[in-house]
Amino acid sequence: MVELKTNAALDAMRVAGRVVAEALAAAREAAAPGVRLLDLDEVARTVLREAGAGSPFLGYRPSFAPTPFPAVLCVSVNDAIVHGIPDATRLQDGDLVSLDCGALVDGWAGDAALSFTVGTARAEDQRLMDTTRQALEAGIAAAVVGARIGDISHAIGSVGRAAGYGIPRDFGGHGIGRQMHEDPPVPNEGRPHRGFVLRHGLVLAIEPMFLAGGKDAYGEDEDGWTLRTVDASRAAHFEHTVAVTDEGPRVLTTV
């Protein structure tokens, strides 16, 4: 069931979204050659704890997962697309890192992600990240009252396909509110003018993820969580929690 949020609820979700943005910014600032992925998770934990926020990631176990997720931050490096589990791996110069984080404040959730390069960026990685960010911006711009979910999906997918990138079809955005994952789903590719009609108070996590090799297929690590490209090409992931309002899209996950 799709829930439309009140204006007061949108303001409350903005509080959670700000915490997410602060956690992502702090983790990105801490990322440097030699830093462990676990260290980035600890940075995000500290931000959440100091804000009095909970984590919708920690202990989360959807139907596909063999074990609960053990961290507050997904850290996906290079050919890892999403859902990477932070471990003792140390970052290296040139690594492409995607961070995904959520927060729970007063019963409301926020969810966002970003990608960046540690140290010196390769030109092809910068293009991948720039394109994925542009797709997110296109998806947000399409999130207006009277449009449909398919308009968001089409906006995102058109950017990715024009650049020659792959799009993992089984993973995309989603509604968000009291729960991290709510209806409706928001695919990263689709037909315009199709699907659920967008109304004031609908809140969506819009999250394009593109694969540099151009293939849509992906594999899964033995941990049952981490998704990887099948050709070892790199991946990028950007996400914002966005409210559809009569005044236009309202991004909730900024500092």
Side-chain angles (χ1 to χ4, degrees):
M1 183 178 72
V2 175
E3 177 192 8
L4 300 178
K5 278 68 177 180
T6 65
N7 290 337
L10 297 184
D11 290 341
M13 292 188 70
R14 174 70 180 104
V15 176
R18 185 177 289 109
V19 174
V20 172
E22 291 171 350
L24 286 172
R28 177 176 181 172
E29 180 66 24
V35 172
R36 302 181 308 163
L37 307 189
L38 279 170
D39 297 332
L40 303 184
D41 182 65
E42 185 55 39
V43 168
R45 286 176 188 252
T46 298
V47 173
L48 265 60
R49 182 171 59 251
E50 292 180 349
S55 169
F57 287 19
L58 184 62
Y60 179 60
R61 188 178 183 181
S63 59
F64 68 78
T67 58
F69 195 76
V72 305
L73 191 68
C74 295
V75 186
S76 306
V77 181
N78 295 332
D79 63 332
I81 306 166
V82 287
H83 303 162
I85 297 176
D87 59 18
T89 300
R90 295 185 182 275
L91 293 170
Q92 300 181 40
D93 184 73
D95 278 344
L96 195 166
V97 181
S98 295
L99 303 178
D100 191 354
C101 188
L104 291 169
V105 179
D106 294 331
W108 294 103
D111 187 9
L114 55 81
S115 294
F116 61 93
T117 299
V118 175
T120 307
R122 305 189 306 185
E124 57 269 34
D125 289 346
Q126 192 62 56
R127 176 177 179 267
L128 173 64
M129 292 185 291
D130 288 345
T131 303
T132 311
R133 188 186 298 106
Q134 290 165 10
L136 173 58
E137 293 169 354
I140 292 171
V144 296
V145 171
R148 293 177 179 267
I149 291 293
D151 296 315
I152 298 175
S153 302
H154 179 71
I156 292 170
S158 295
V159 173
R161 294 304 184 192
Y165 294 138
I167 302 174
R169 297 182 184 275
D170 300 322
F171 291 87
H174 49 88
I176 183 171
R178 291 287 186 181
Q179 304 295 322
M180 178 170 60
H181 292 122
E182 297 182 352
D183 289 330
V186 187
N188 283 326
E189 190 169 30
R191 299 174 64 184
H193 318 307
R194 299 295 181 94
F196 187 83
V197 177
L198 309 184
R199 296 167 58 190
H200 178 90
L202 178 66
V203 185
L204 304 171
I206 300 174
E207 52 177 322
M209 49 195 80
F210 292 161
L211 317 184
K215 297 181 179 179
D216 297 346
Y218 57 87
E220 183 180 273
D221 280 5
E222 291 184 0
D223 62 25
W225 279 100
T226 309
L227 304 184
R228 293 188 185 275
T229 61
V230 296
D231 55 5
S233 65
R234 294 189 169 191
H237 177 207
F238 284 87
E239 176 184 16
H240 271 308
T241 296
V242 181
V244 177
T245 79
D246 291 330
E247 292 74 39
R250 181 184 179 189
V251 178
L252 305 179
T253 42
T254 57
V255 175

